[in-house]
Amino acid sequence: MGFILAATGSAIGLGNLWKFPFITWENGGGAFVLIYLMCIVGVGLPIMMAELLIGRKTQKSPVGALKEAMGPWWGWVGAWGVMAGFIILSYYSVVAGWSLFYFVKTVGWSLGGFPADLQTGELFTDVIGNGGLQFLLSGLFMAATVGIVYFGVHGGIERVARIFLPILFVILLLLLASALTMEGAGEALAFIFRPNFSELEPRSVLEALGHSFFTLSLGMGAMITYGSYVARNRSIVSAAGTIVLLDTVIALFATIIMFSVIFTVPGMSEQVGRSAAGMLFISLPELFYNVVPFGAVLGPLFYVLVALAALTSTISLLEVVVSYFIDERNMPRPKATLLSGAAIFVFTVLSALSFGALPALSNFEIFEGKAGVFSTLDHFASNWALPLGGLLITLGAGWFMTREATEGELVDETTPRWFRYGAWRFFMRYVAPVAVAAILIAVIFFGMDFS
Ligand code: PHE
């Protein structure tokens, strides 16, 4: 149970709350959601099983695990994943830090009243442009992450997941209940679940696919690492199914909540359309006090939700890096944790300061490729690190591991009845590699950007 919660916590994060609602918006709703669900089932789920099985079979972290499962050269794929963890963590914790700020702010507004003349767009630009504050917020977040990973998998990561995930589910359900009573709820549901394929572009398909890697924490070894903690008497197939299902449901809930709010306010939909940050940190704060029933309570809770979701993801990112130093460099955990945390924080500070160097931009331009280190790292992770890592892990599991090796982990008396090993292998060998390669081809030859 601890493992399932920890892995689910890794999957559920800013990807679900911050990225998914926004890309659903950008890509016109229903048809995109449907394509996304297909990517999750056809590509994400089989790869989730592959990563977990590699971890459990070898009982090692990514570098050692891939070497043992596939051959000596495959250690480099693991190393690529460790680097991806390093990079994602260094900008992810910046956004996570913002949720701390908005938590404190919303508590203040709930107690003292929302200032009538406040421009939330200006507030946000001031916050992210304030170097000292960014340093403090992302530093706090990194310190919390390091503090948990320091205590190891059972004493730190699993324990935190056991406490935080249930809290996260409860907050989300409260928000959902409130959202569904709002006037915009009907329109929101129609937008999300009524597909209109005429609006769908080929690019959207690849974006959905790329996001399924990010949101499921695939392609960089996080699930290999967590897979090494799955007990023998547990089914990898059911574990993967549970994690993927929960992650998907939560992404959909978050989207329903956000759109119900947005569609309730006339004219709002024109304003939010430009950035994910705009949705979460500019539009929403104000709406909690103007339109959301019980918003004064739910507002601060919402930012607690964002912070908790982000934290259970950042600990998994750091654990990939830390377990490398423990297993491959024989470092004791405390030293490995503090050293990696400090090294990553250097890059966190660089990305946190990206925004201060910006000339006066309008609120929504910030994420359109102008924010230096922050954007560069995000581009690299989404366009290169995860797709390439995912492609290689997929090819390795499909073509370089024997049938016996993978079947032995996936099929036993604990395996649920719906599972077909032959189908899994087919998807791993043909469907997933072709699909993931398409992302890389689009990036390399067509200059597409999926960050
Ligand atoms: N899955 C996390 C999210 O949706 C991000 C993440 C990616 C975490 C890769 C770990 C590894 O926010």
Side-chain angles (χ1 to χ4, degrees), residues 57 401-409 421 425:
K57 185 169 174 54
M401 288 177 79
T402 61
R403 182 178 245 281
E404 293 70 48
T406 49
E407 194 168 16
E409 288 293 327
Y421 177 78
R425 195 160 157 91

Side-chain angles (χ1 to χ4, degrees), residues 286-312:
E286 189 174 356
L287 297 176
F288 278 119
Y289 296 92
N290 297 334
V291 289
V292 178
F294 306 106
V297 180
L298 292 177
L301 280 182
F302 175 77
Y303 292 101
V304 172
L305 169 79
V306 178
L308 293 184
L311 188 59
T312 49

Side-chain angles (χ1 to χ4, degrees), residues 116-134:
D117 54 350
L118 182 79
Q119 291 294 321
T120 51
E122 275 168 30
L123 173 68
F124 181 66
T125 335
D126 287 348
V127 172
I128 64 173
N130 180 338
L133 184 60
Q134 289 304 303

